[in-house]
Short mmCIF file of all heavy atoms in Angstrom, two decimals:
data_model
loop_
_atom_site.label_atom_id
_atom_site.label_comp_id
_atom_site.label_asym_id
_atom_site.label_seq_id
_atom_site.Cartn_x
_atom_site.Cartn_y
_atom_site.Cartn_z
N ASN O 600 23.49 19.07 6.58
CA ASN O 600 24.68 19.65 5.96
C ASN O 600 24.73 21.16 6.14
O ASN O 600 25.79 21.77 5.94
CB ASN O 600 24.72 19.31 4.48
CG ASN O 600 24.85 17.82 4.23
OD1 ASN O 600 25.42 17.12 5.05
ND2 ASN O 600 24.33 17.34 3.12
N ALA O 601 23.59 21.78 6.45
CA ALA O 601 23.53 23.23 6.62
C ALA O 601 23.40 23.63 8.09
O ALA O 601 23.27 24.80 8.40
CB ALA O 601 22.37 23.82 5.82
N TRP O 602 23.40 22.64 9.00
CA TRP O 602 23.35 22.96 10.42
C TRP O 602 24.76 23.42 10.84
O TRP O 602 25.73 22.68 10.69
CB TRP O 602 22.93 21.76 11.24
CG TRP O 602 21.54 21.29 10.93
CD1 TRP O 602 20.61 21.89 10.17
CD2 TRP O 602 20.94 20.05 11.38
NE1 TRP O 602 19.46 21.15 10.10
CE2 TRP O 602 19.63 20.01 10.85
CE3 TRP O 602 21.36 19.02 12.20
CZ2 TRP O 602 18.77 18.96 11.08
CZ3 TRP O 602 20.50 17.96 12.45
CH2 TRP O 602 19.22 17.93 11.89
N LEU O 603 24.85 24.61 11.39
CA LEU O 603 26.14 25.20 11.72
C LEU O 603 26.34 25.25 13.22
O LEU O 603 25.38 25.47 13.98
CB LEU O 603 26.25 26.61 11.12
CG LEU O 603 26.10 26.72 9.60
CD1 LEU O 603 26.24 28.16 9.16
CD2 LEU O 603 27.14 25.84 8.91
N SER O 604 27.56 25.06 13.63
CA SER O 604 27.95 25.22 15.03
C SER O 604 29.21 26.08 15.09
O SER O 604 30.05 26.03 14.18
CB SER O 604 28.18 23.86 15.70
OG SER O 604 29.22 23.16 15.03
N TYR O 605 29.33 26.85 16.13
CA TYR O 605 30.43 27.80 16.29
C TYR O 605 31.26 27.39 17.51
O TYR O 605 30.71 26.92 18.52
CB TYR O 605 29.90 29.22 16.50
CG TYR O 605 28.99 29.71 15.40
CD1 TYR O 605 27.64 29.37 15.38
CD2 TYR O 605 29.47 30.52 14.37
CE1 TYR O 605 26.80 29.82 14.37
CE2 TYR O 605 28.64 30.97 13.36
CZ TYR O 605 27.31 30.62 13.38
OH TYR O 605 26.48 31.07 12.38
N ARG O 606 32.55 27.55 17.40
CA ARG O 606 33.43 27.27 18.55
C ARG O 606 34.67 28.18 18.46
O ARG O 606 35.08 28.61 17.37
CB ARG O 606 33.84 25.80 18.60
CG ARG O 606 34.63 25.33 17.40
CD ARG O 606 34.79 23.81 17.43
NE ARG O 606 35.51 23.31 16.27
CZ ARG O 606 36.82 23.12 16.22
NH1 ARG O 606 37.56 23.40 17.30
NH2 ARG O 606 37.40 22.64 15.13
N LEU O 607 35.20 28.42 19.61
CA LEU O 607 36.38 29.27 19.72
C LEU O 607 37.61 28.39 19.48
O LEU O 607 37.92 27.50 20.28
CB LEU O 607 36.44 29.94 21.09
CG LEU O 607 37.57 30.93 21.31
CD1 LEU O 607 37.48 32.06 20.31
CD2 LEU O 607 37.52 31.47 22.74
N LEU O 608 38.27 28.61 18.37
CA LEU O 608 39.39 27.77 17.99
C LEU O 608 40.69 28.23 18.68
O LEU O 608 41.49 27.39 19.11
CB LEU O 608 39.56 27.80 16.47
CG LEU O 608 40.53 26.81 15.88
CD1 LEU O 608 40.07 25.38 16.16
CD2 LEU O 608 40.65 27.01 14.37
N LYS O 609 40.88 29.54 18.80
CA LYS O 609 42.12 30.06 19.38
C LYS O 609 41.84 31.43 19.97
O LYS O 609 41.07 32.20 19.41
CB LYS O 609 43.21 30.14 18.29
CG LYS O 609 44.57 30.59 18.80
CD LYS O 609 45.57 30.61 17.64
CE LYS O 609 46.94 31.09 18.12
NZ LYS O 609 47.91 31.16 17.00
N ALA O 610 42.47 31.76 21.09
CA ALA O 610 42.29 33.05 21.74
C ALA O 610 43.61 33.46 22.36
O ALA O 610 44.36 32.63 22.91
CB ALA O 610 41.19 33.00 22.79
N SER O 611 43.92 34.76 22.25
CA SER O 611 45.15 35.28 22.86
C SER O 611 45.05 35.24 24.39
O SER O 611 46.07 35.17 25.07
CB SER O 611 45.42 36.70 22.36
OG SER O 611 44.30 37.54 22.67
N GLU O 612 43.85 35.29 24.90
CA GLU O 612 43.63 35.21 26.35
C GLU O 612 42.59 34.13 26.60
O GLU O 612 41.39 34.39 26.60
CB GLU O 612 43.16 36.57 26.89
CG GLU O 612 43.04 36.63 28.42
CD GLU O 612 44.40 36.66 29.08
OE1 GLU O 612 45.36 37.17 28.44
OE2 GLU O 612 44.52 36.18 30.19
N PRO O 613 43.00 32.88 26.79
CA PRO O 613 42.01 31.79 26.98
C PRO O 613 41.14 32.07 28.20
O PRO O 613 41.61 32.53 29.23
CB PRO O 613 42.89 30.55 27.18
CG PRO O 613 44.21 30.90 26.56
CD PRO O 613 44.38 32.37 26.79
N GLY O 614 39.85 31.73 28.04
CA GLY O 614 38.91 31.89 29.13
C GLY O 614 38.31 33.25 29.26
O GLY O 614 37.43 33.47 30.10
N LEU O 615 38.78 34.22 28.45
CA LEU O 615 38.24 35.58 28.56
C LEU O 615 36.95 35.72 27.75
O LEU O 615 36.03 36.41 28.18
CB LEU O 615 39.28 36.59 28.07
CG LEU O 615 38.85 38.07 28.13
CD1 LEU O 615 38.45 38.45 29.54
CD2 LEU O 615 39.98 38.96 27.61
N PHE O 616 36.88 35.05 26.62
CA PHE O 616 35.70 35.16 25.77
C PHE O 616 35.14 33.76 25.50
O PHE O 616 35.88 32.75 25.55
CB PHE O 616 36.05 35.85 24.43
CG PHE O 616 36.51 37.26 24.58
CD1 PHE O 616 37.87 37.56 24.62
CD2 PHE O 616 35.60 38.30 24.69
CE1 PHE O 616 38.31 38.85 24.74
CE2 PHE O 616 36.03 39.59 24.81
CZ PHE O 616 37.39 39.89 24.85
N SER O 617 33.84 33.71 25.18
CA SER O 617 33.18 32.46 24.80
C SER O 617 32.32 32.71 23.56
O SER O 617 31.89 33.84 23.32
CB SER O 617 32.29 31.93 25.94
OG SER O 617 31.24 32.85 26.21
N VAL O 618 32.10 31.62 22.80
CA VAL O 618 31.32 31.72 21.55
C VAL O 618 30.11 30.79 21.68
O VAL O 618 30.26 29.61 22.05
CB VAL O 618 32.17 31.33 20.33
CG1 VAL O 618 31.32 31.39 19.06
CG2 VAL O 618 33.37 32.24 20.21
N GLY O 619 28.92 31.32 21.37
CA GLY O 619 27.71 30.49 21.42
C GLY O 619 27.77 29.37 20.38
O GLY O 619 28.07 29.62 19.22
N LEU O 620 27.46 28.14 20.81
CA LEU O 620 27.59 26.98 19.92
C LEU O 620 26.68 27.10 18.71
O LEU O 620 27.09 26.76 17.59
CB LEU O 620 27.25 25.70 20.70
CG LEU O 620 27.31 24.39 19.90
CD1 LEU O 620 28.72 24.14 19.38
CD2 LEU O 620 26.83 23.21 20.76
#
Side-chain angles (χ1 to χ4, degrees):
N600 296 331
W602 297 351
L603 301 180
S604 60
Y605 304 82
R606 62 189 178 93
L607 184 60
L608 190 62
K609 183 179 179 182
S611 58
E612 186 72 29
L615 180 57
F616 296 96
S617 63
V618 178
L620 178 62

